[in-house]
Structures are given as structure tokens and as C-alpha cells.
């Protein structure tokens, strides 16, 4: 230690005692070091480094800093973690020696921390002295699209060292927490909380608040580390478990506490938690708020346990005597599909294949209003109207009435096992790929009979089926011909319109979409002999000509098209989403944020927004986008992997099915310029007397046949 002090004294003789003291005190007083530009800014505003002999007043500070780096090069370390490279001491022994010499005096220590506080607060920008041209130093939290991470990380630390507390200014300031979570990360916020914990030894009420905030942030740390913009969503999910009614699954976003709930105003209550919850109910930024509890209340926990217990008994009864895996029970408990109703955005339909169950749910209350059990192995479902649906049961198509809970009829014929494709022509007819994949059958939904058959030719095997929203146009892929063509039928006239081909290219018919009125179809294509990335083509089905062709340079893994918004949306393998303009052919927006290939896209029925996700949950988050502005509306990361999702209510609601959960989860978009209504006041599905009923349909198909 004596040798280090001797070296520092020699350095003071060479460079000047006051200058060395000030510079090393500033470096040592920081949390993570100082960047080159920050150090030059700090020295430039120190009168010890000013000179009237130079062209600019602060030039000596730049010269001094270069010389200091040269002399101390073996003892300094430059490092960078998610930001600019910063300078700090190479080891603790040298740090402690410098700290003892230059920060041991309380007056100098306060000067160093006060200087850094003024710098990061941007006070020097408002008090610019003469001769400081070029050193205008504002310190906003965000500049354009970039956050000022150095300020976010350093300022709370410096304020704490100076004042001994950062509760009111930072930790109990939801706006600051949101900005820091977006610009830095949740772990730096937890470090700030740890700093404050050491000083909270007398005020137990504030300590209780702080510890609960810490617990919420720790439980949401994975989601917040992924994207801090879901701060209000995650906090609402955790705080509603305490502030809302403990036994209920859903909460009114404006609900006031009852007399049975804790006294939030008392010193023993969570006063700041209450304030944060009220802010989360009407967040200052667009957020997807979970209308159902993230942290299960007692009733929900008991309900989930009862479901799992019943499934355990059933699995044990039908099993082969071996142990039942938890993953198998979770699969029995979950939903495999969610689909919205045609004309009623307040309700959705879920399908559970393993439980052989179809349910109609109230989106806003997460309550099943109809439940059909005993449906034989339902795999897929398409709604005909708000009460009737077509269900793929193993290899059969069946019609069910969801309102009355009845089996209506079975369509004749058997579907292909690997490609059971079908779609609605109108509310009385359906088109389905035949068992041998050589025909497309037009079926009557009332009688179940085959009305007519479309055939492309001898020995031609179809591998896809795409029907326009109005049911007028049918597009199929043919895997027999080389290269693969797209076959386009007019379902009204029942004639083949076009046989679309690109020489030396195949269509990837699993990645295709058609507009609602059938004017355009888009499909992914790839070269047969070259290992190049695939590309997107758009055909005008009114003329049968190639309309647009786009080559993103990366493989496309998902595709959708919207005539209402005049665009094509493509999810790429590199996690980007591109929105292409159908009129000009230009790329309208390039949307980034996902961390895995975006292989799920879902347009809102009314247009204007869409939902994106990774269906196999490498990236577990869902993102809701504004198509008109090309901006992210909100992001949400659930605590469990998503098995299915749907967007409804004009893009204001997202319905999720989570792995191992027997209830849906609804996320409602809330924030500035978003209405506060939670669905219709008098929501009703079908006949009111059937609300909440469960119908057992195990023997219905046999009875109907008899």
C-alpha cells in the first residue's frame, strides 16, 4: 500500500496534485467506471483544467487525460457491457489504495459524488459558462430511439452515495423504473433496491413496500429482462393477486378495495404498492394487462389441483399400469386451439384434443358459457356462424351446435390422415380434400352429402387447400407436377381458372394466404436446384398474372395477407417481420424485437393490427403491432409456454391458452387513447338458459345414426 501511495505522489508531481486528485477521485467514485467522452466532459467543467492560453478553454483537460492514461495504463482496464467502453481499476487492491487516498476525506468524497450527480442530471447544460462552446451537455433519459444507459445505471448510485436514500426519487417512481427497465435491465434495478435495503432499518412500513416490490421484480425478471416495456403488465399481474378479490379469476381494472382487504393507508400496509397498482390499472404507456390472475388465488389454485387430480385418476384408470408423467397430465389439462367467433368478439371457442372437449368462453371473464364433452378426438374446428361449427374428429368431419350442445350431422367420406384439409364455401357448403388427395369435394352441411367434385386431372395429388374468406375462390397445390403448380378454382362456377407455375421453382404451399374477397393470393416459392433463400410471390387472381415478387434474402417462415390494410406480412427466419405494400411493392415496415423465427402471424379481423409469436416458444413472448404506423403496441411474456393464441375485439384483446392451464388468459390492451370498456355490458351467448351448461356427447353420434 505504501508503494502504491508513493507512485501516486510521483504522479501528482508530474501532472499536478490538484488535477490528479480530481481526476482519480471521479474515476473511483463511479459504479461502473467512466467512458472516454464522459471523463472529458467532467474535466472540461473543472476550473482546475481551464487555461486562457489555449484556443478553447477546456483543452488542458483533454491533454491531461491522454497523459494520465499513458502513465497508468498497466493499472487501468477498459471494458464494455451493453454500452460504451468504460475505464476502471484493474484490481481491488489498487482500487482500495486510490479510494483511501482520494476519497478518504468526506469533503472530497461529497464533491466527487455531487459532480457526478450534476453531470448525469444535465444541470451543466442549463448553466453553460462562457468559453464552453461545444460542451452543451443535456442528459435526457432517451435520445431518439436510444436510451441513455450510462445515466440510468450511474445516477441512482451517485444519489445514494450522496444522500443515503433513493426511495422517492427512483425506486418509488414508476416512470423512472419503466425507463430504467427499458434502457438498462431488471438486474440493475434489483442492485439499486439492494443498496436501499441496507439503509432501511427503522422504517418497517417502507421496508415492507420495498421488499414486496423486489419480490415482484424477481418473479418477473425473465420477462422484464427480455423487454422492459411490459413492466406495467407484469406488475399488474402480480399486484392484482393481492389488491384484487382473492377468490376471483378476473378483476375490474377500476375496482376499489373492500373493507375486508388490508388497510393500505396504515403503516403496516403497502402504501406504495397501492399507488403502483392504481397506475397499472390505467398505464401511461400501451400495455397488455392480464384480466386473470398471474399469481393464482386460492380458488384458482384449488380448481387447477382438482382438474389435475381428476386427470391423474383418469390417466391411471386407462393407462397401462406405468407411472403417469407430469408433462402428460399438463397436456391433458391444456387447450390445443383457440378460434374467434364470426360475429361476436366477446367469445372464443377452445379445443382440447386429449380431454375430448370443446368450450365456448366469455373472453373478458374467462368463464366457459358452454362445454361439450365426449367429442371424439377433436383436432381442428372452423366456425360456420356463432353457434354452429365444423369439427375434424380423427378423420371425420362433424357438425355441432355449440349453443344447444348437440351433435347435428356427420359429413360423408373420410379425410386424408396426413392432410385433412377443409374450408367453408358458404354457410351451407364446405370444400374438403378427398381421402386419396386427387379430388376436392363440395359437401352440403345440412345433409352431409357430396354435392360435386373438383378434379385437376389423372394421377395428380393435391397437398394444400386454401379458401377465400367469402368462399368464392379455392386454391390448391399439386405435388405431382414438376415444378409444383398452384391450381385456382372458382367455387361459384365450379371451374378451374388458372394453373399457375414458375419454371424451375416449387411453391411452398404450407406458407400461403389469400385475401378475403379472393383477389390476391400470396405464396412462398423456392428454386428447385439452387440452395437459395425462398421468396414471396403474389398473384392477381382476377387476371391470373404474377403481381409482385419479393426476395427478403432470408427464408420466410410465416405469411399472411390483408386486402383491408393493402399489405402482405412475412415472418422471417432471422426474427424480423416485413410488411410489404400491395400497391407499390415496397417494404412498408421492418419490425424487430423477436429473438426467434416468427412462425406465427394472426391478423385482427377488422384490420389495423396483428399478433406475432414463435409457435414452438423459443421466444415465449407475444407482440401486438400497429399496421398503420409500423410500431409495437405492446409485448407480453407469460409465465408458461403458449399453446394457442387469438386476437379479437379490434386488436384490443389477446386470448391465450397456456401449457398445463385449464383456463384461458385474456390480455387487454390498455393505455393512452384506448377505451376503458371491458366488452359489452350485456354479453350473452345464444339462449340465456344454457349459460354455463356442460353437455356430454359421448353417445350422440350413435344415437343420431340410429
Amino acid at each position: 500500500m505504501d508503494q502504491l501511495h508513493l507512485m501516486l505522489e510521483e504522479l501528482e508531481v508530474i501532472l499536478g496534485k490538484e488535477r490528479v486528485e480530481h481526476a482519480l477521485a471521479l474515476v473511483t467514485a463511479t459504479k461502473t467506471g467512466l467512458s472516454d467522452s464522459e471523463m472529458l466532459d467532467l474535466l472540461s467543467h473543472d476550473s482546475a483544467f481551464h487555461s486562457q492560453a489555449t484556443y478553447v478553454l477546456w483543452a488542458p483537460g483533454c491533454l491531461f487525460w491522454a497523459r494520465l492514461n499513458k502513465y497508468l495504463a498497466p493499472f487501468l482496464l477498459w471494458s464494455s457491457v451493453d454500452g460504451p467502453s468504460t475505464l476502471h481499476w484493474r484490481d481491488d487492491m489498487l482500487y482500495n489504495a486510490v479510494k483511501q487516498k482520494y476519497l478518504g476525506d468526506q469533503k472530497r468524497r461529497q464533491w466527487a459524488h455531487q459532480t457526478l450527480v450534476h453531470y448525469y442530471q444535465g444541470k451543466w447544460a442549463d448553466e453553460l459558462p462562457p468559453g464552453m462552446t461545444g460542451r452543451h451537455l443535456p442528459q435526457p433519459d432517451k435520445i431518439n430511439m436510444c436510451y441513455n444507459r450510462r445515466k440510468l445505471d450511474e445516477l441512482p448510485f451517485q444519489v445514494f452515495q450522496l444522500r443515503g436514500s433513493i426511495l422517492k426519487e427512483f425506486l418509488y417512481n414508476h416512470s423512472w423504473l419503466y425507463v430504467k427497465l427499458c434502457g438498462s435491465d431488471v438486474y440493475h434495478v434489483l442492485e439499486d433496491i439492494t443498496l436501499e435495503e441496507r439503509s432501511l432499518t427503522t422504517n418497517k412500513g417502507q421496508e415492507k413496500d420495498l421488499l414486496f416490490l423486489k419480490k415482484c421484480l424477481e418473479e418477473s425478471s425473465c420477462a422484464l429482462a427480455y423487454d422492459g416495456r411490459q413492466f406495467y403488465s407484469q406488475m399488474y399481474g402480480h399486484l392484482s393477486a393481492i389488491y384484487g378479490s382473492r377468490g376471483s379469476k378476473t378483476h375490474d381494472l377500476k375496482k376499489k378495495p373492500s373493507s375486508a382487504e388490508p388497510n393500505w393507508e396504515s403503516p403496516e400496509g403497502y402504501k406504495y404498492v397501492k399507488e403502483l397498482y392504481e397506475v397499472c390499472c390505467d398505464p401511461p404507456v400501451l400495455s397488455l394487462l392480464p384480466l386473470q390472475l398471474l399469481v393464482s388465488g386460492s380458488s384458482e389454485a384449488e380448481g387447477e389441483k382438482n382438474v389435475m387430480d381428476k386427470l391423474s385418476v383418469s390417466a391411471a384408470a386407462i393407462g397401462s399400469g406405468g407411472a403417469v408423467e407430469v408433462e402428460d397430465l399438463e397436456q391433458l389439462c391444456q387447450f390445443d386451439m383457440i378460434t374467434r367467433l364470426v360475429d361476436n368478439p366477446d367469445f372464443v371457442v377452445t379445443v382440447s384434443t386429449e380431454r375430448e372437449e370443446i368450450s365456448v368462453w366469455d373472453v373478458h371473464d374467462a368463464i366457459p358459457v358452454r362445454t361439450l364433452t365426449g367429442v371424439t378426438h377433436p383436432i381442428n374446428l372452423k366456425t360456420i356462424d356463432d353457434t354452429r361449427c365444423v369439427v375434424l374428429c380423427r378423420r371425420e368431419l362433424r357438425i355441432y351446435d355449440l349453443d344447444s350442445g348437440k351433435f347435428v350431422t356427420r359429413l360423408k367420406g373420410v379425410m386424408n390422415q396426413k392432410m385433412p384439409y377443409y374450408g367453408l364455401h358458404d354457410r351451407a357448403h364446405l370444400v374438403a380434400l378427398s381421402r386419396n388427395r386427387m379430388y376436392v369435394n363440395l359437401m352440403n352441411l345440412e345433409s352431409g352429402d357430396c354435392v360435386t367434385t373438383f378434379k385437376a386431372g389423372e394421377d395428380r395429388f393435391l397437398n394444400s387447400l386454401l379458401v377465400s374468406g367469402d368462399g368464392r375462390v379455392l386454391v390448391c397445390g399439386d405435388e405431382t407436377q414438376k415444378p409444383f403448380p398452384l391450381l385456382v378454382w372458382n367455387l361459384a362456377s365450379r371451374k378451374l381458372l388458372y394453373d399457375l407455375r414458375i419454371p424451375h421453382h416449387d411453391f411452398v404451399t404450407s406458407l400461403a394466404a389469400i385475401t378475403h374477397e379472393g383477389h390476391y393470393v400470396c405464396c412462398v416459392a423456392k428454386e428447385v436446384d439452387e440452395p437459395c433463400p425462398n421468396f414471396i410471390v403474389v398473384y392477381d387472381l382476377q387476371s391470373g398474372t404474377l403481381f409482385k415478387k419479393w426476395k427478403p434474402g432470408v427464408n420466410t417462415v410465416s405469411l399472411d395477407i390483408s386486402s383491408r390494410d393493402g399489405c402482405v406480412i412475412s415472418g422471417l427466419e432471422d426474427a424480423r417481420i416485413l410488411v410489404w405494400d400491395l400497391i407499390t411493392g415496397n417494404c412498408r415496415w421492418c419490425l424487430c424485437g423477436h429473438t426467434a423465427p416468427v412462425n406465427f402471424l394472426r391478423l385482427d379481423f377488422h384490420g389495423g393490427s396483428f399478433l406475432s409469436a414463435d409457435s414452438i416458444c423459443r421466444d415465449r413472448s407475444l407482440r401486438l403491432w400497429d399496421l398503420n404506423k409500423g410500431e409495437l403496441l405492446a409485448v407480453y411474456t407469460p409465465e408458461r409456454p403458449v399453446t394457442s393464441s387469438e386476437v379479437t375485439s379490434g386488436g384490443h384483446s389477446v386470448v391465450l391458452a397456456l401449457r398445463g392451464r385449464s383456463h384461458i388468459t385474456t390480455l387487454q390492451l390498455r393505455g393512452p387513447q384506448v377505451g376503458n370498456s371491458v366488452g359489452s355490458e350485456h354479453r350473452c351467448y345464444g339462449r340465456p338458459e344454457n349459460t354455463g351448461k356442460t353437455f356430454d356427447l359421448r353417445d350422440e353420434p350413435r344415437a343420431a345414426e340410429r
Side-chain angles (χ1 to χ4, degrees), residues 247-266:
S248 66
K249 294 180 186 296
T250 62
H251 303 288
D252 185 348
L253 298 182
K254 291 296 183 183
K255 180 184 178 296
K256 299 300 181 183
S258 65
S259 58
E261 293 171 352
N263 181 9
W264 298 98
E265 300 299 339
S266 68

Side-chain angles (χ1 to χ4, degrees), residues 200-209 267:
L200 287 180
T201 56
T202 57
N203 192 331
K204 295 298 182 182
Q206 286 188 338
E207 183 180 10
K208 195 174 181 180
D209 255 341

Side-chain angles (χ1 to χ4, degrees), residues 57-243:
L57 185 68
W58 40 266
C62 303
L63 301 174
F64 167 84
W65 182 236
R67 295 180 67 192
L68 184 67
N69 271 279
K70 176 182 176 182
Y71 284 115
L72 292 181
F75 307 101
L76 298 174
L77 180 66
W78 290 91
S79 61
S80 174
V81 179
D82 297 331
S85 183
T86 58
L87 180 74
H88 51 89
W89 299 106
R90 188 174 290 274
D91 57 57
D92 286 340
M93 184 177 181
L94 185 61
Y95 167 79
N96 291 328
V98 177
K99 183 178 180 181
Q100 179 183 341
K101 184 173 178 61
Y102 296 116
L103 293 179
D105 179 65
Q106 183 179 1
K107 185 176 180 181
R108 187 181 295 126
R109 183 168 62 252
Q110 287 186 342
W111 170 86
H113 291 304
Q114 187 68 67
T115 300
L116 291 166
V117 167
H118 285 170
Y119 173 66
Y120 286 115
Q121 287 180 339
K123 289 189 176 180
W124 294 343
D126 301 327
E127 303 170 359
L128 199 64
M132 297 301 292
T133 305
R135 288 294 170 184
H136 183 70
L137 304 172
Q139 290 280 358
D141 294 335
K142 189 176 183 181
I143 304 172
N144 296 328
M145 298 300 292
C146 299
Y147 284 93
N148 187 350
R149 178 159 187 174
R150 292 291 302 143
K151 172 187 176 179
L152 299 176
D153 288 344
E154 283 287 345
L155 186 56
F157 177 82
Q158 299 302 331
V159 172
F160 180 81
Q161 297 299 326
L162 194 64
R163 303 172 190 168
S165 177
I166 52 174
L167 271 180
K168 292 184 178 180
E169 189 173 353
F170 298 105
L171 299 181
Y172 288 174
N173 182 346
H174 66 87
S175 299
W176 170 267
L177 289 177
Y178 175 81
V179 171
K180 182 154 186 176
L181 288 168
C182 294
S184 181
D185 60 53
V186 64
Y187 305 109
H188 278 80
V189 175
L190 291 172
E191 287 179 6
D192 295 342
I193 293 177
T194 303
L195 275 178
E196 187 65 36
E197 277 185 284
R198 299 170 187 169
S199 65
L200 287 180
T201 56
T202 57
N203 192 331
K204 295 298 182 182
Q206 286 188 338
E207 183 180 10
K208 195 174 181 180
D209 255 341
L210 187 65
L211 291 177
F212 188 81
L213 175 63
K214 180 182 178 182
K215 179 185 176 184
C216 292
L217 291 174
E218 286 175 342
E219 292 178 352
S220 305
S221 58
C222 290
L224 294 175
Y226 171 82
D227 198 317
R229 283 173 286 191
Q230 49 187 318
F231 168 65
Y232 295 105
S233 302
Q234 295 293 331
M235 289 301 102
Y236 178 82
H238 288 282
L239 298 180
S240 60
I242 289 183
Y243 190 63

Side-chain angles (χ1 to χ4, degrees), residues 455-476:
K455 185 176 181 181
E458 296 297 332
D459 300 327
R460 298 183 72 171
F461 295 95
L462 307 177
N463 64 355
S464 65
L465 186 146
L466 200 62
V467 183
S468 62
D470 60 4
R472 294 190 305 108
V473 179
L474 169 69
V475 180
C476 294

Side-chain angles (χ1 to χ4, degrees), residues 638-665:
E639 77 273 19
R640 290 172 177 241
V642 178
T643 58
S644 184
S645 57
E646 181 65 274
V647 58
T648 183
S649 302
H652 288 177
S653 296
V654 176
V655 185
L656 307 180
L658 303 179
R659 182 182 298 171
R661 285 289 173 86
S662 60
H663 281 79
I664 62 172
T665 298

